[in-house]
Amino acid sequence: MFSTAFLILLSSASPQDSIGVTLLPFRDPGLSLELRVNDLLSRLTLEEKIKQLLYNAPAIERLGIPSYNWWSEALHGVARAGKATVFPQSIGLAATFDTELMGRVATAISDEARAKYHHALRSGATGIYEGLTFFSPNINIFRDPRWGRGMETYGEDPYLTGRMGVAFIKGMQGQDTLYLKTATTAKHYAVHSGPEPDRHSFDAVVSERDLRETYLPAFRDAVRDGHVASVMCAYNRFRGDPCCGSSDLLQKILRDEWNFGGFVVSDCWAISDFFQFHKTSRTEPEAAAAALMAGTDVECGVSFDSLLTAVRQGLVSEALVDQALDRAMSIRFRLGMFDPPSNVPFGAIGMDVVDSPKHRALALESARKSIILLRNEKELLPLRKDLAHIAVIGPTIGDVDVLLGNYNGIPADPVTILAGLKKAVGPGTTVLYAPGCEIADHTLTPVPVPATALFMGLKEPRAPGLRGEYFAGIVPGPR
């Protein structure tokens, strides 16, 4: 007997589904998650299973399963996917010390994420930055101010980082008991706080006390309190092993100690580092096998493509491939990707929420609360309306890119600090501007790469001089 929900699914099947595909048990929302995932896995060839563990998983047309890209970003707003509300960068949100506000911000981000996902599906788009699995938040500890990615974090305090991370995760993933609104990824696990240039070969040797008191608490909170859907393992080594090949991190601590039930995704091209830079593996199949055996389930990169060779060479078993795919596909099922939209409580969110007046107001509230006024001598602030001149000095105060941070969306009407000051002063006040200094010497120049280079078999996509961002959405950078 088919369940009532299954009959609803039958009536709402997409045109590409044949009746035979629609009737398969993994399509039945009335069955348990375990039964549905097991049914799907039983229908896949080994090669098909392995392909689904890559970040750009291809379609399985005979089963009516569209392609899916696991890689999306939402650090402080839906990123790299066009127009979106841009909230203060993470370090600014942390400065509010307001977890309730953080929860509201994350809820707004997840609303826009759902809207964009539904819009992409209607257009038949399933590419990078168009899914529901987000590589956010960054809950590394910002211990050294020289680390250039510290702005992505919630600062140096493990407790604050954990609380803000949990609030973000809960706002993004929603409160439904059956479905996830989005799936978040706590990154980069673990002991990843620079030095950035050496991250592909660096071995983080840390005492047990520092590990437990500084670097692990936020991840523990994300798993135990936030029930985060996934965790991203870092580029660096941990006590000799690459983090994505560390059974101590991924099995003993994450799964055995904290009972993590989601999937582990590698940092982008981190498994290639095993044999290219860390030199802990000799070949790509050996690296892929080592990562899978340690507990990495999905790869942002291309080395898992060699798992077919690794299985055939006896380096790793198909059972471990099944285990990894079970963990990963369970999240896709919980996101409602195999169910009719009417079943999913978030399925009706439309594009009207994107960069909406309500969300802009929330971004403004967040920005105001993120500002820390350390001193206000002689009541200099707020500025008087009768001032004749105001001098504004600084090389970035009129720069929109700096205003937006990184991992950002594109707001409809960004207002720089300089533009905002000019608008806020009295009609008789002249605002004078000078850059004051150059941007720091020795900064790297972005190198554009043709769209045809979008991971088309690239084993090592880092180009000389690449600053580490996606230019035109095609050049891989730091995750």
Side-chain angles (χ1 to χ4, degrees):
M1 292 290 290
F2 294 114
S3 67
T4 302
F6 194 35
L7 294 176
I8 295 173
L9 173 63
L10 190 60
S11 66
S12 62
S14 63
Q16 70 177 359
D17 290 337
S18 67
I19 291 297
V21 168
T22 307
L23 294 177
L24 295 176
F26 78 85
R27 293 279 187 178
D28 184 355
L31 297 178
S32 69
L33 176 63
E34 181 180 7
L35 287 174
R36 297 179 73 185
V37 174
N38 287 343
D39 178 72
L40 174 58
L41 264 61
S42 71
R43 300 177 188 279
L44 302 180
T45 66
L46 175 59
E47 186 172 6
E48 287 172 332
K49 293 173 186 176
I50 289 169
K51 291 290 187 182
Q52 294 302 303
L53 298 180
L54 294 167
Y55 80 99
N56 54 346
I60 306 175
E61 294 182 1
R62 64 185 180 84
L63 296 177
I65 298 174
S67 61
Y68 183 69
N69 198 300
W70 293 88
W71 186 349
S72 289
E73 301 283 356
L75 186 65
H76 55 119
V78 181
R80 300 174 176 175
K83 185 177 76 170
T85 306
V86 179
F87 294 92
Q89 181 58 285
S90 298
I91 196 70
L93 290 169
T96 69
F97 289 83
D98 190 336
T99 55
E100 187 274 337
L101 176 65
M102 181 79 257
R104 286 192 285 132
V105 166
T107 298
I109 295 171
S110 60
D111 282 346
E112 297 194 11
R114 268 285 172 179
K116 286 176 174 289
Y117 172 72
H118 300 151
H119 179 72
L121 282 187
R122 288 192 294 271
S123 306
T126 58
I128 193 169
Y129 310 138
E130 292 173 327
L132 288 174
T133 44
F134 290 90
F135 292 173
S136 309
N138 184 341
I139 54 173
N140 291 135
I141 299 302
F142 189 13
R143 173 174 268 186
D144 189 327
R146 296 172 298 178
W147 185 37
R149 296 185 67 183
M151 63 182 175
E152 300 173 25
T153 76
Y154 300 123
E156 63 184 341
D157 179 14
Y159 176 77
L160 177 63
T161 297
R163 292 301 91 199
M164 296 301 282
V166 168
F168 179 89
I169 291 162
K170 287 185 174 181
M172 286 288 289
Q173 296 190 170
Q175 304 302 315
D176 192 80
T177 56
L178 181 61
Y179 290 101
L180 290 169
K181 192 177 183 183
T182 69
T184 56
T185 301
K187 66 182 188 184
H188 313 80
Y189 181 69
V191 200
H192 180 87
S193 299
E196 197 72 6
D198 299 327
R199 61 187 181 163
H200 301 287
S201 57
F202 179 69
D203 186 5
V205 179
V206 60
S207 70
E208 186 69 15
R209 177 172 179 172
D210 206 17
L211 176 70
R212 296 287 178 168
E213 292 185 356
T214 305
Y215 294 104
L216 292 188
F219 287 98
R220 179 198 61 212
D221 292 350
V223 171
R224 289 182 171 176
D225 299 340
H227 305 291
V228 70
S230 68
V231 169
M232 176 179 281
C233 46
Y235 286 119
N236 56 278
R237 275 176 285 157
F238 169 75
R239 296 176 178 172
D241 293 320
C243 289
C244 293
S246 171
S247 58
D248 283 349
L249 285 176
L250 304 183
Q251 186 61 48
K252 292 180 182 177
I253 296 175
L254 186 62
R255 292 194 169 100
D256 295 344
E257 202 174 305
W258 298 343
N259 296 315
F260 175 63
F263 70 92
V264 172
V265 59
S266 78
D267 207 337
C268 295
W269 274 255
I271 295 173
S272 300
D273 288 348
F274 286 23
F275 60 94
Q276 290 186 331
F277 302 114
H278 292 305
K279 304 297 183 182
T280 56
S281 298
R282 293 176 302 169
T283 66
E284 191 167 44
E286 288 180 2
L292 190 71
M293 288 189 290
T296 299
D297 303 307
V298 174
E299 185 200 9
C300 183
V302 296
S303 291
F304 264 15
D305 223 4
S306 66
L307 279 174
L308 187 62
T309 299
V311 172
R312 288 172 176 170
Q313 291 179 350
L315 299 174
V316 70
S317 68
E318 184 173 354
L320 283 183
V321 174
D322 288 347
Q323 177 179 265
L325 189 56
D326 184 306
R327 292 166 176 163
M329 294 304 293
S330 292
I331 297 300
R332 287 188 62 182
F333 273 97
R334 291 185 62 199
L335 287 164
M337 291 182 176
F338 300 94
D339 295 355
S342 58
N343 279 37
V344 183
F346 322 108
I349 298 176
M351 287 294 286
D352 58 318
V353 303
V354 176
D355 200 30
S356 63
K358 179 182 177 181
H359 288 179
R360 290 186 195 178
L362 180 58
L364 178 60
E365 177 189 352
S366 304
R368 285 171 172 162
K369 290 183 175 179
S370 72
I371 295 170
I372 308 299
L373 180 61
L374 299 180
R375 185 177 297 177
N376 191 16
E377 291 182 344
K378 300 179 182 179
E379 298 183 0
L380 179 64
L381 298 176
L383 295 173
R384 302 198 320 267
K385 295 292 186 179
D386 61 348
L387 294 173
H389 297 88
I390 296 176
V392 181
I393 302 170
T396 63
I397 204 161
D399 190 316
V400 172
D401 289 339
V402 171
L403 180 74
L404 298 180
N406 66 341
Y407 294 103
N408 58 280
I410 306 299
D413 186 24
V415 180
T416 65
I417 297 174
L418 181 60
L421 280 172
K422 288 181 176 179
K423 185 177 180 180
V425 299
T429 302
T430 299
V431 177
L432 305 172
Y433 169 69
C437 67
E438 299 279 342
I439 298 291
D441 291 337
H442 309 300
T443 54
L444 298 177
T445 302
V447 177
V449 173
T452 52
L454 177 56
F455 301 141
M456 299 297 287
L458 293 180
K459 298 296 182 181
E460 179 47 54
R462 301 180 191 93
L466 188 62
R467 188 172 64 184
E469 280 303 311
Y470 257 69
F471 304 103
I474 53 176
V475 183
R479 305 278 57 78

